[in-house]
Coordinates of all heavy atoms in Angstrom, one line a residue:
H420 N 19.2 210.1 -139.6 CA 18.1 209.2 -139.9 C 18.6 207.8 -140.2 O 19.6 207.6 -140.8 CB 17.3 209.7 -141.1 CG 16.6 211.0 -140.9 ND1 15.5 211.1 -140.2 CD2 16.9 212.2 -141.3 CE1 15.1 212.4 -140.1 NE2 16.0 213.1 -140.8
R421 N 17.8 206.8 -139.8 CA 18.0 205.4 -140.3 C 17.3 205.4 -141.6 O 16.2 205.8 -141.8 CB 17.2 204.5 -139.4 CG 17.8 204.3 -138.0 CD 17.2 203.1 -137.3 NE 15.7 203.3 -137.1 CZ 14.9 202.3 -136.8 NH1 15.4 201.0 -136.5 NH2 13.6 202.5 -136.6
L422 N 18.0 204.9 -142.6 CA 17.5 204.8 -144.0 C 17.0 203.4 -144.3 O 17.6 202.4 -143.9 CB 18.6 205.2 -145.0 CG 19.3 206.5 -144.8 CD1 20.1 206.8 -146.1 CD2 18.2 207.7 -144.6
L423 N 15.8 203.4 -144.9 CA 15.3 202.1 -145.3 C 15.1 202.1 -146.9 O 14.3 202.8 -147.4 CB 13.9 201.8 -144.7 CG 13.2 200.6 -145.1 CD1 14.1 199.3 -145.0 CD2 12.0 200.4 -144.2
V424 N 16.0 201.3 -147.5 CA 15.9 201.2 -149.0 C 15.1 200.0 -149.4 O 15.3 198.9 -148.8 CB 17.4 201.1 -149.6 CG1 17.3 201.0 -151.1 CG2 18.2 202.2 -149.1
H425 N 14.2 200.2 -150.3 CA 13.4 199.1 -150.7 C 12.9 199.2 -152.1 O 12.8 200.3 -152.7 CB 12.1 198.9 -149.8 CG 11.0 199.8 -150.2 ND1 10.0 199.3 -151.1 CD2 10.7 201.1 -150.0 CE1 9.2 200.3 -151.3 NE2 9.6 201.4 -150.7
C426 N 12.6 198.1 -152.7 CA 11.8 198.0 -154.0 C 10.8 196.9 -153.8 O 10.5 196.5 -152.7 CB 12.7 197.8 -155.2 SG 13.7 196.3 -155.1
H427 N 10.2 196.5 -154.9 CA 9.1 195.5 -154.8 C 9.6 194.2 -154.1 O 9.0 193.8 -153.1 CB 8.4 195.3 -156.1 CG 7.1 194.5 -156.0 ND1 7.1 193.1 -156.0 CD2 5.9 194.9 -155.8 CE1 5.8 192.8 -155.9 NE2 5.1 193.8 -155.7
G428 N 10.6 193.7 -154.7 CA 11.1 192.4 -154.2 C 12.3 192.6 -153.2 O 12.8 191.6 -152.6
G429 N 12.8 193.8 -153.2 CA 14.0 194.0 -152.4 C 15.3 193.4 -152.9 O 16.3 193.3 -152.2
A430 N 15.3 193.1 -154.2 CA 16.4 192.3 -154.8 C 17.3 193.2 -155.7 O 18.4 193.4 -155.4 CB 15.9 191.1 -155.5
S431 N 16.7 193.6 -156.8 CA 17.5 194.1 -157.9 C 17.7 195.6 -157.7 O 18.9 196.1 -157.7 CB 16.8 193.9 -159.2 OG 17.5 194.4 -160.3
R432 N 16.7 196.4 -157.7 CA 16.8 197.9 -157.5 C 17.4 198.2 -156.1 O 18.3 199.1 -156.0 CB 15.5 198.6 -157.7 CG 15.1 198.6 -159.2 CD 13.6 199.1 -159.3 NE 12.7 198.1 -159.0 CZ 11.4 198.1 -159.3 NH1 10.9 199.1 -160.0 NH2 10.6 197.1 -158.9
T433 N 16.9 197.5 -155.1 CA 17.5 197.7 -153.8 C 19.0 197.4 -153.8 O 19.8 198.1 -153.2 CB 16.8 196.8 -152.7 OG1 15.4 197.2 -152.7 CG2 17.3 197.0 -151.4
G434 N 19.3 196.3 -154.4 CA 20.7 195.9 -154.5 C 21.6 196.9 -155.3 O 22.7 197.2 -154.9
L435 N 21.0 197.5 -156.3 CA 21.7 198.5 -157.1 C 22.1 199.7 -156.1 O 23.3 200.1 -156.1 CB 20.8 199.0 -158.2 CG 21.3 200.3 -158.9 CD1 22.5 200.1 -159.7 CD2 20.2 200.9 -159.7
V436 N 21.2 200.1 -155.4 CA 21.4 201.3 -154.5 C 22.3 201.0 -153.4 O 23.2 201.8 -153.0 CB 20.1 201.9 -154.0 CG1 20.3 203.0 -153.0 CG2 19.3 202.6 -155.2
L437 N 22.2 199.8 -152.8 CA 23.1 199.4 -151.7 C 24.5 199.3 -152.2 O 25.5 199.8 -151.6 CB 22.7 198.1 -151.1 CG 21.3 198.0 -150.3 CD1 21.0 196.6 -149.9 CD2 21.3 199.0 -149.1
R438 N 24.7 198.7 -153.4 CA 26.0 198.6 -153.9 C 26.6 200.0 -154.3 O 27.8 200.3 -154.0 CB 26.0 197.7 -155.1 CG 25.7 196.2 -154.8 CD 25.8 195.3 -156.0 NE 24.7 195.5 -156.9 CZ 24.7 195.2 -158.2 NH1 25.8 194.6 -158.7 NH2 23.6 195.4 -158.9
A439 N 25.8 200.8 -154.9 CA 26.3 202.1 -155.3 C 26.7 202.9 -154.0 O 27.6 203.7 -154.0 CB 25.2 202.9 -156.1
W440 N 25.9 202.8 -153.0 CA 26.2 203.5 -151.7 C 27.5 203.1 -151.2 O 28.3 203.9 -150.8 CB 25.1 203.2 -150.7 CG 25.3 203.7 -149.3 CD1 25.8 203.1 -148.2 CD2 25.2 205.1 -148.9 NE1 25.9 203.9 -147.2 CE2 25.5 205.2 -147.6 CE3 24.7 206.3 -149.6 CZ2 25.5 206.4 -146.8 CZ3 24.7 207.4 -148.8 CH2 25.0 207.5 -147.5
L441 N 27.8 201.8 -151.2 CA 29.1 201.3 -150.8 C 30.3 201.8 -151.6 O 31.3 202.2 -151.1 CB 29.2 199.8 -150.8 CG 28.7 199.1 -149.5 CD1 28.7 197.6 -149.8 CD2 29.6 199.4 -148.3
M442 N 30.1 201.9 -152.9 CA 31.1 202.4 -153.8 C 31.3 203.8 -153.5 O 32.5 204.3 -153.5 CB 30.7 202.2 -155.3 CG 30.6 200.8 -155.7 SD 29.9 200.6 -157.4 CE 31.1 201.4 -158.4
R443 N 30.3 204.6 -153.3 CA 30.4 206.0 -153.0 C 31.0 206.3 -151.6 O 31.9 207.1 -151.5 CB 29.0 206.6 -153.0 CG 28.8 208.0 -152.3 CD 29.1 209.1 -153.2 NE 28.1 209.4 -154.2 CZ 27.2 210.3 -154.1 NH1 27.1 211.0 -153.0 NH2 26.3 210.5 -155.1
T444 N 30.6 205.5 -150.6 CA 31.1 205.9 -149.3 C 32.3 205.2 -148.9 O 33.1 205.7 -148.1 CB 30.0 205.6 -148.2 OG1 29.6 204.2 -148.3 CG2 28.8 206.4 -148.4
D445 N 32.6 203.9 -149.4 CA 33.7 203.2 -148.9 C 34.8 203.0 -150.0 O 35.8 202.4 -149.9 CB 33.3 201.8 -148.5 CG 32.6 201.8 -147.1 OD1 32.0 202.9 -146.8 OD2 32.6 200.8 -146.4
G446 N 34.5 203.6 -151.2 CA 35.4 203.6 -152.3 C 35.6 202.2 -152.9 O 36.6 201.9 -153.5
M447 N 34.6 201.3 -152.7 CA 34.8 199.9 -153.2 C 34.6 199.9 -154.7 O 33.9 200.8 -155.3 CB 33.7 199.0 -152.6 CG 33.9 198.7 -151.1 SD 32.7 197.4 -150.6 CE 33.0 197.4 -148.8
S448 N 35.1 198.9 -155.3 CA 34.8 198.6 -156.7 C 33.4 198.0 -156.8 O 32.9 197.6 -155.8 CB 35.8 197.7 -157.3 OG 35.6 196.4 -156.8
A449 N 32.9 197.9 -158.0 CA 31.6 197.3 -158.2 C 31.6 195.9 -157.7 O 30.6 195.4 -157.0 CB 31.1 197.4 -159.6
D450 N 32.6 195.2 -158.1 CA 32.7 193.7 -157.6 C 32.8 193.6 -156.1 O 32.1 192.8 -155.5 CB 33.9 193.1 -158.3 CG 33.7 192.7 -159.7 OD1 32.5 192.8 -160.1 OD2 34.7 192.4 -160.4
E451 N 33.6 194.4 -155.5 CA 33.7 194.4 -154.1 C 32.4 194.7 -153.4 O 32.0 194.0 -152.4 CB 34.8 195.4 -153.6 CG 36.2 195.0 -153.9 CD 37.2 196.1 -153.8 OE1 36.8 197.3 -153.7 OE2 38.4 195.8 -153.7
A452 N 31.7 195.7 -153.9 CA 30.4 196.1 -153.3 C 29.4 195.0 -153.5 O 28.6 194.7 -152.6 CB 29.9 197.4 -154.0
T453 N 29.4 194.3 -154.6 CA 28.5 193.2 -154.8 C 28.7 192.1 -153.8 O 27.8 191.6 -153.2 CB 28.6 192.7 -156.3 OG1 28.3 193.8 -157.2 CG2 27.7 191.6 -156.6
T454 N 30.0 191.7 -153.7 CA 30.3 190.7 -152.7 C 29.9 191.1 -151.3 O 29.3 190.3 -150.6 CB 31.8 190.4 -152.7 OG1 32.2 190.1 -154.1 CG2 32.2 189.2 -151.8
H455 N 30.2 192.3 -150.9 CA 29.9 192.8 -149.6 C 28.4 192.8 -149.3 O 28.0 192.3 -148.2 CB 30.5 194.2 -149.5 CG 30.5 194.8 -148.1 ND1 31.6 194.7 -147.2 CD2 29.5 195.4 -147.3 CE1 31.3 195.2 -146.1 NE2 30.0 195.7 -146.1
V456 N 27.6 193.2 -150.3 CA 26.2 193.2 -150.1 C 25.6 191.8 -150.1 O 24.8 191.5 -149.2 CB 25.5 194.1 -151.1 CG1 23.9 194.0 -151.1 CG2 25.8 195.6 -151.0
A457 N 26.1 191.0 -151.0 CA 25.6 189.6 -151.1 C 25.8 188.9 -149.8 O 24.9 188.0 -149.4 CB 26.2 188.9 -152.2
E458 N 26.8 189.1 -149.1 CA 27.1 188.4 -147.8 C 26.1 188.9 -146.7 O 25.9 188.1 -145.7 CB 28.5 188.7 -147.3 CG 29.6 187.9 -148.1 CD 31.0 188.5 -147.8 OE1 31.2 189.4 -147.1 OE2 31.9 187.9 -148.4
R459 N 25.6 190.1 -146.8 CA 24.7 190.6 -145.8 C 23.2 190.7 -146.2 O 22.4 190.9 -145.3 CB 25.2 192.0 -145.4 CG 26.6 192.0 -144.7 CD 27.3 193.3 -144.8 NE 28.6 193.2 -144.1 CZ 29.7 192.7 -144.7 NH1 29.7 192.2 -145.9 NH2 30.8 192.6 -144.0
W460 N 22.9 190.5 -147.4 CA 21.6 190.6 -147.9 C 21.3 189.5 -149.0 O 21.6 189.8 -150.2 CB 21.3 192.0 -148.5 CG 19.9 192.3 -148.9 CD1 19.5 192.6 -150.2 CD2 18.7 192.4 -148.2 NE1 18.2 192.8 -150.3 CE2 17.6 192.7 -149.0 CE3 18.4 192.2 -146.8 CZ2 16.3 192.8 -148.6 CZ3 17.1 192.3 -146.4 CH2 16.1 192.6 -147.2
P461 N 20.9 188.4 -148.5 CA 20.8 187.2 -149.4 C 19.8 187.4 -150.5 O 19.8 186.6 -151.5 CB 20.4 186.1 -148.5 CG 19.9 186.7 -147.3 CD 20.6 188.0 -147.1
H462 N 19.0 188.4 -150.4 CA 17.9 188.7 -151.4 C 18.5 189.4 -152.6 O 17.7 189.7 -153.6 CB 16.8 189.4 -150.8 CG 16.3 188.8 -149.5 ND1 15.6 187.7 -149.4 CD2 16.5 189.2 -148.2 CE1 15.4 187.4 -148.2 NE2 15.9 188.3 -147.4
L463 N 19.7 189.9 -152.6 CA 20.3 190.6 -153.7 C 20.1 189.9 -155.0 O 20.3 188.8 -155.2 CB 21.8 190.8 -153.4 CG 22.6 191.4 -154.6 CD1 22.2 192.9 -154.7 CD2 24.1 191.3 -154.2
G464 N 19.6 190.7 -156.0 CA 19.3 190.2 -157.3 C 20.2 190.8 -158.3 O 20.3 192.1 -158.4
L465 N 20.9 190.1 -159.2 CA 21.9 190.6 -160.1 C 21.6 190.4 -161.5 O 22.4 190.5 -162.4 CB 23.3 189.9 -159.8 CG 23.8 190.1 -158.3 CD1 25.0 189.2 -158.1 CD2 24.2 191.6 -158.1
W466 N 20.3 190.2 -161.8 CA 19.9 189.9 -163.2 C 19.9 191.1 -164.1 O 20.0 191.0 -165.3 CB 18.5 189.2 -163.2 CG 17.4 190.0 -162.6 CD1 16.8 191.1 -163.0 CD2 16.9 189.8 -161.2 NE1 15.9 191.6 -162.1 CE2 15.9 190.8 -161.0 CE3 17.1 188.9 -160.2 CZ2 15.2 190.9 -159.8 CZ3 16.4 189.0 -159.1 CH2 15.4 190.0 -158.9
N467 N 19.8 192.3 -163.6 CA 19.7 193.5 -164.5 C 21.1 194.0 -164.9 O 21.8 194.7 -164.1 CB 18.9 194.6 -163.8 CG 18.5 195.7 -164.8 OD1 19.3 196.0 -165.6 ND2 17.3 196.2 -164.6
V468 N 21.5 193.6 -166.1 CA 22.8 194.0 -166.6 C 23.0 195.5 -166.7 O 24.1 196.0 -166.4 CB 23.1 193.3 -167.9 CG1 24.4 193.7 -168.5 CG2 23.0 191.8 -167.8
S469 N 21.9 196.2 -167.0 CA 22.1 197.7 -167.1 C 22.4 198.3 -165.8 O 23.0 199.4 -165.7 CB 20.8 198.3 -167.7 OG 19.7 198.3 -166.8
F470 N 22.0 197.7 -164.7 CA 22.3 198.2 -163.3 C 23.8 198.0 -163.1 O 24.5 198.9 -162.6 CB 21.5 197.5 -162.2 CG 20.1 197.9 -162.2 CD1 19.5 198.8 -163.1 CD2 19.2 197.3 -161.2 CE1 18.2 199.2 -163.0 CE2 17.9 197.6 -161.2 CZ 17.4 198.6 -162.1
T471 N 24.3 196.8 -163.4 CA 25.7 196.6 -163.2 C 26.6 197.5 -164.1 O 27.6 198.0 -163.6 CB 26.1 195.1 -163.6 OG1 25.2 194.2 -162.8 CG2 27.5 194.8 -163.3
D472 N 26.1 197.8 -165.3 CA 26.8 198.7 -166.2 C 26.8 200.1 -165.5 O 27.8 200.8 -165.6 CB 26.1 198.8 -167.5 CG 26.3 197.5 -168.3 OD1 27.1 196.7 -168.0 OD2 25.5 197.4 -169.3
A473 N 25.7 200.5 -164.9 CA 25.7 201.8 -164.3 C 26.7 201.9 -163.1 O 27.3 202.9 -162.9 CB 24.3 202.1 -163.8
L474 N 26.8 200.8 -162.4 CA 27.8 200.8 -161.3 C 29.2 201.0 -161.9 O 30.0 201.7 -161.3 CB 27.7 199.5 -160.5 CG 26.4 199.4 -159.7 CD1 26.4 198.0 -159.0 CD2 26.3 200.5 -158.6
E475 N 29.5 200.3 -163.0 CA 30.8 200.4 -163.6 C 31.1 201.9 -164.0 O 32.2 202.3 -164.0 CB 30.9 199.5 -164.8 CG 30.8 198.0 -164.5 CD 31.9 197.4 -163.6 OE1 32.9 198.1 -163.5 OE2 31.7 196.3 -163.1
R476 N 30.0 202.6 -164.4 CA 30.2 204.0 -164.9 C 30.4 204.9 -163.7 O 30.8 206.1 -163.9 CB 29.0 204.4 -165.7 CG 28.9 203.9 -167.1 CD 27.9 204.6 -167.9 NE 26.5 204.6 -167.3 CZ 25.6 203.6 -167.6 NH1 25.9 202.6 -168.4 NH2 24.4 203.6 -167.0
M477 N 30.0 204.5 -162.5 CA 30.0 205.4 -161.4 C 31.4 205.9 -161.1 O 32.3 205.2 -161.0 CB 29.5 204.8 -160.1 CG 28.1 205.2 -159.8 SD 27.5 204.4 -158.3 CE 28.7 205.1 -157.1
R478 N 31.5 207.2 -160.9 CA 32.8 207.7 -160.6 C 33.2 207.3 -159.2 O 32.3 207.1 -158.3 CB 32.8 209.2 -160.7 CG 32.8 209.7 -162.1 CD 32.3 211.1 -162.2 NE 30.9 211.2 -161.7 CZ 30.2 212.3 -161.5 NH1 30.8 213.5 -161.8 NH2 29.0 212.3 -161.1
L479 N 34.4 207.3 -158.8 CA 34.8 207.0 -157.5 C 34.4 208.2 -156.6 O 34.1 209.3 -157.1 CB 36.3 206.7 -157.4 CG 36.6 205.3 -158.0 CD1 38.1 205.1 -158.2 CD2 36.0 204.2 -157.1
P480 N 34.5 208.0 -155.3 CA 34.0 209.1 -154.4 C 34.6 210.5 -154.8 O 35.8 210.6 -155.0 CB 34.4 208.7 -153.0 CG 34.8 207.3 -153.1 CD 35.1 206.9 -154.6
R481 N 33.7 211.5 -154.7 CA 34.2 212.8 -154.9 C 34.7 213.3 -153.6 O 34.1 213.0 -152.5 CB 33.1 213.7 -155.4 CG 32.6 213.3 -156.8 CD 31.3 213.9 -157.1 NE 30.3 213.4 -156.1 CZ 29.0 213.8 -156.1 NH1 28.6 214.6 -157.0 NH2 28.1 213.3 -155.3
D482 N 35.8 214.1 -153.6 CA 36.3 214.6 -152.3 C 35.6 215.9 -151.9 O 34.8 216.4 -152.6 CB 37.8 214.7 -152.3 CG 38.2 215.6 -153.5 OD1 37.4 215.9 -154.4 OD2 39.4 216.0 -153.5

Side-chain angles (χ1 to χ4, degrees):
H420 294 283
R421 291 191 300 167
L422 304 189
L423 175 50
V424 179
H425 84 91
C426 56
H427 192 270
S431 178
R432 286 169 284 195
T433 298
L435 165 70
V436 168
L437 293 176
R438 289 183 290 158
W440 175 258
L441 271 177
M442 292 173 66
R443 160 87 73 99
T444 55
D445 289 25
M447 289 188 191
S448 70
D450 281 348
E451 288 165 345
T453 300
T454 305
H455 191 94
V456 171
E458 284 168 358
R459 290 158 180 81
W460 183 242
H462 312 285
L463 174 65
L465 298 172
W466 55 78
N467 191 322
V468 177
S469 74
F470 287 0
T471 306
D472 291 346
L474 291 176
E475 299 292 349
R476 284 193 301 271
M477 257 182 63
R478 289 160 296 173
L479 286 171
R481 295 162 298 180
D482 52 350

